[in-house]
Amino acid sequence: VIAIMAIISTALVIDFSRQRGPRNIVLAKNETITNLRKVQGYMLSSRNIPPDNTPAKYYIATFDAKETPNSYMVAAVDNDYVYHPNVETITLPNSVIISNLTINRPDGVKGDPNSYKCMQIIFSAPFGKMYVNGNETCDGSIVDILKDPVSLAELSENTAKVYFSEPTGSVQDAHLEIVPVTGQMSAY
């Protein structure tokens, strides 16, 4: 009886450990969607930038697959276009990393999506409108784009995808999809 219990216990422990990676990926996708909605809520509620309570014009969620693949950062830009780089840092669940960032090409343009090392999801006041900006580096240069109405209008409103992975590689093509035009965020 003890031997049978030991065999069953071992099988359960092995099965649970196999589920850890996929569970962490699902958790990362769901938490990221929740946190992006929270940042959008900051704009809708006109939340000021902590700690000095400066009014925000934009909130920006920055994903950096090269420098900080295990976390992402929330930044802000105030009404005077001063960049506040680290409003909040959100760490992904254990061993999950951001493996790729893509933005689809405009409708009617054929080809694979553009792949980036840095992606910024921008939420603007007062209605929480979303924009997507892809780049090879994550720096404060987004402020120059936000200052210029023509550049702001050219910001991509195409579908963006954030891909997640974990060391075992047991989950393939795990990503969340962000559609700025409609505000839809979906986990796949």
Side-chain angles (χ1 to χ4, degrees):
V1 170
I2 292 174
I4 292 171
M5 298 270 301
I7 291 170
I8 292 171
S9 297
T10 303
L12 287 174
V13 168
I14 290 171
D15 191 45
F16 284 138
S17 66
R18 249 187 269 141
Q19 295 301 317
R20 189 172 301 145
R23 185 200 65 203
N24 285 342
I25 294 279
V26 169
L27 186 62
K29 291 187 296 186
N30 291 338
E31 283 182 356
T32 302
I33 289 173
T34 299
N35 286 319
L36 288 174
R37 290 283 179 222
K38 177 178 73 172
V39 174
Q40 189 176 35
Y42 291 169
M43 289 312 311
L44 294 171
S45 66
S46 299
R47 179 179 186 249
N48 290 338
I49 305 167
D52 54 355
N53 246 5
T54 307
K57 187 169 187 79
Y58 298 98
Y59 273 96
I60 305 165
T62 301
F63 298 89
D64 189 341
K66 183 179 179 183
E67 299 294 324
T68 56
N70 63 339
S71 65
Y72 52 97
M73 181 184 71
V74 176
V77 175
D78 64 25
N79 290 329
D80 295 326
Y81 292 98
V82 174
Y83 185 70
H84 300 262
N86 198 4
V87 174
E88 185 177 353
T89 299
I90 301 159
T91 304
L92 295 172
N94 204 11
S95 75
V96 175
I97 62 167
I98 298 165
S99 57
N100 195 15
L101 302 163
T102 65
I103 299 175
N104 287 353
R105 295 181 183 276
D107 290 339
V109 178
K110 297 192 186 256
D112 292 334
N114 293 323
S115 186
Y116 298 98
K117 300 291 183 210
C118 175
M119 182 185 298
Q120 295 164 315
I121 312 294
I122 302 147
F123 300 91
S124 68
F127 303 114
K129 182 171 173 45
M130 294 171 64
Y131 299 97
V132 178
N133 183 46
N135 209 332
E136 288 306 306
T137 61
C138 290
D139 57 15
S141 66
I142 188 67
V143 173
D144 295 331
I145 294 170
L146 298 175
K147 279 183 186 179
D148 180 25
V150 174
S151 297
L152 181 61
E154 292 173 354
L155 275 181
S156 173
E157 290 187 355
N158 298 313
T159 302
K161 294 181 182 177
V162 179
Y163 289 85
F164 298 94
S165 66
E166 41 87 33
T168 65
S170 61
V171 178
Q172 300 296 319
D173 199 33
H175 67 278
L176 63 92
E177 192 171 275
I178 303 154
V179 184
V181 174
T182 62
Q184 180 179 356
M185 296 181 214
S186 306
Y188 295 97

